[in-house]
Every structure is written in structure tokens, then in C-alpha cells.
């Protein structure tokens, strides 16, 4: 992401209704209080900051994002999903990948790598942009590789051996 845009993005993560709404949805999941949580693509860390769990860590490819997350008191590391990760298998109860998968060269391989980090019966929570028909300059600016249909998400999660509990469009009010 362009550095000047990244600073604007940090501001938007804090103030924009879309990011606030996504954080509210994550908080409503009522994740176990003792859950160990990894958020990949943590950005400024505000999602993790909003969660009450104590054992949580953020991972982001951007050093400025990790530095910003640390200013909010979030434990965050620089890391790249296209490379090996510094975590042991079955380390996390919950993994959040909120608007991350669409940035990856190989979404399937990266998702498999993340699933290996989940403890048995762990939860993987993913958000991706929907429908290529909605592709815009925003996708280009954010370096998205693609947008997904429900069937593509089903196929992707199945290929990573994830048991799918819920699959929905969370923000359909914008579609029309």
C-alpha cells in the first residue's frame, strides 16, 4: 500500500463507519474470554484492541501498520503470509483474516497455512470483498487480487479443510 494512503487508511480504520461496523460484528461473536487470537493483516490493531481477550497478537506485512498497532498497546509483529510464519502449529483458538485473503498471491495455500495454526475446534473468521462485478479503483488502490462469490468462498474454505458454520454477506445494504 502506498505510504501516504496508509496513513489515511489508519485514520479511516479509527473513524469510518465501515471499520467500526466490522469491529462491532467481531465483538458480537462473543469469543471465549481465554481464547488465543491471531489477527493476520491487523493494520493499526484496532480490531484486536476492541476485543477483551488478553492473549492476542497481530501480524501485518507493513512495518508502519505494526508500529501503529503498538501505539494502541497491541502486540503485533511484521510478517508475510506468502512466507513462513513464526508460529507453531495449533497455536491459536481463533484466527481473524479480515480483508486479507484477497491480497494474497495464493489464497488457497495461505489459507491452508493459517488453518494449520488453529487448535483443534478452533475458529477461523474471514471477511473478503464480494463479487468481481463490483471491482473498482478502490480495489486497485488496495492491491486486491480478486473479489469473491459465495461459491468461491465455499470452495476455498473446503480446500483448506475448514468446516463452514456461517457464510453471509454482512453489508448488503450497499449492494443496490
Amino acid at each position: 500500500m502506498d505510504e501516504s494512503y496508509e496513513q489515511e487508511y489508519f485514520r479511516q480504520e479509527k473513524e469510518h463507519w465501515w471499520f467500526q461496523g466490522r469491529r462491532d460484528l467481531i465483538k458480537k461473536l462473543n469469543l471465549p474470554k481465554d481464547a488465543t487470537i491471531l489477527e493476520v493483516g491487523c493494520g493499526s490493531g484496532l480490531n484486536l484492541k476492541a476485543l477483551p481477550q488478553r492473549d492476542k497478537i497481530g501480524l501485518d506485512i507493513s512495518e508502519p501498520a505494526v508500529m501503529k498497532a503498538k501505539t494502541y498497546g497491541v502486540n503485533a509483529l511484521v510478517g508475510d503470509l506468502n512466507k513462513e510464519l513464526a508460529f507453531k502449529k495449533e497455536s491459536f483458538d481463533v484466527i481473524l483474516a479480515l480483508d486479507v485473503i484477497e491480497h494474497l498471491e495464493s489464497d488457497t495455500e495461505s489459507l491452508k497455512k493459517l488453518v494449520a495454526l488453529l487448535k483443534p475446534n478452533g475458529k477461523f473468521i474471514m471477511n473478503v470483498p464480494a463479487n468481481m462485478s463490483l471491482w473498482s479503483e478502490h480495489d486497485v488502490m488496495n492491491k486486491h487480487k480478486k473479489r469473491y462469490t459465495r461459491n468461491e468462498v465455499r470452495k476455498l474454505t473446503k480446500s483448506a479443510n475448514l468446516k463452514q458454520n456461517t457464510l453471509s454477506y454482512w453489508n448488503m445494504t450497499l449492494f443496490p
Side-chain angles (χ1 to χ4, degrees):
M1 185 180 300
D2 180 75
E3 192 173 320
S4 63
Y5 177 65
E6 190 169 36
Q7 295 305 313
E8 172 62 17
Y9 196 83
F10 294 153
R11 187 189 65 73
Q12 288 185 23
E13 278 184 300
K14 189 174 186 177
E15 300 172 4
H16 196 276
W17 65 266
W18 189 89
F19 291 101
Q20 291 172 353
R22 190 178 64 180
R23 274 193 296 280
D24 288 345
L25 282 174
I26 298 303
K27 288 190 292 188
K28 287 180 184 176
L29 294 175
N30 292 320
L31 301 172
K33 296 288 184 209
D34 62 345
T36 55
I37 300 173
L38 170 66
E39 182 182 12
V40 295
C42 69
S44 67
L46 289 173
N47 296 326
L48 289 174
K49 184 178 183 211
L51 294 173
Q53 288 76 10
R54 294 172 50 88
D55 193 2
K56 52 194 176 185
I57 187 166
L59 182 75
D60 204 284
I61 196 168
S62 163
E63 189 169 337
V66 167
M67 299 309 290
K68 184 69 169 178
K70 289 180 178 185
T71 68
Y72 289 125
V74 172
N75 182 11
L77 302 170
V78 174
D80 184 345
L81 287 174
N82 295 306
K83 298 177 182 172
E84 287 302 311
L85 299 176
F87 303 110
K88 293 181 183 176
K89 290 184 187 274
E90 299 184 359
S91 295
F92 299 98
D93 298 300
V94 177
I95 295 178
L96 303 172
L98 308 174
D99 297 292
V100 171
I101 302 301
E102 68 273 11
H103 294 272
L104 302 172
E105 292 298 326
S106 175
D107 53 4
T108 303
E109 291 308 309
S110 296
L111 192 59
K112 287 178 182 178
K113 188 184 304 184
L114 290 172
V115 169
L117 299 177
L118 276 176
K119 292 179 182 177
N121 300 312
K123 295 186 185 300
F124 188 86
I125 301 162
M126 175 173 77
N127 188 60
V128 293
N131 299 320
M132 283 302 290
S133 64
L134 298 174
W135 187 268
S136 72
E137 184 60 34
H138 177 79
D139 294 288
V140 174
M141 188 171 26
N142 282 285
K143 298 184 180 177
H144 292 172
K145 304 290 184 213
K146 69 180 292 185
R147 286 173 160 266
Y148 294 80
T149 64
R150 289 172 65 101
N151 285 337
E152 288 171 324
V153 171
R154 254 188 218 103
K155 183 179 175 184
L156 180 62
T157 56
K158 186 175 182 177
S159 72
N161 293 318
L162 282 169
K163 178 185 168 196
Q164 191 174 296
N165 290 335
T166 305
L167 175 61
S168 68
Y169 294 105
W170 77 270
N171 200 352
M172 283 300 293
T173 57
L174 294 178
F175 191 70

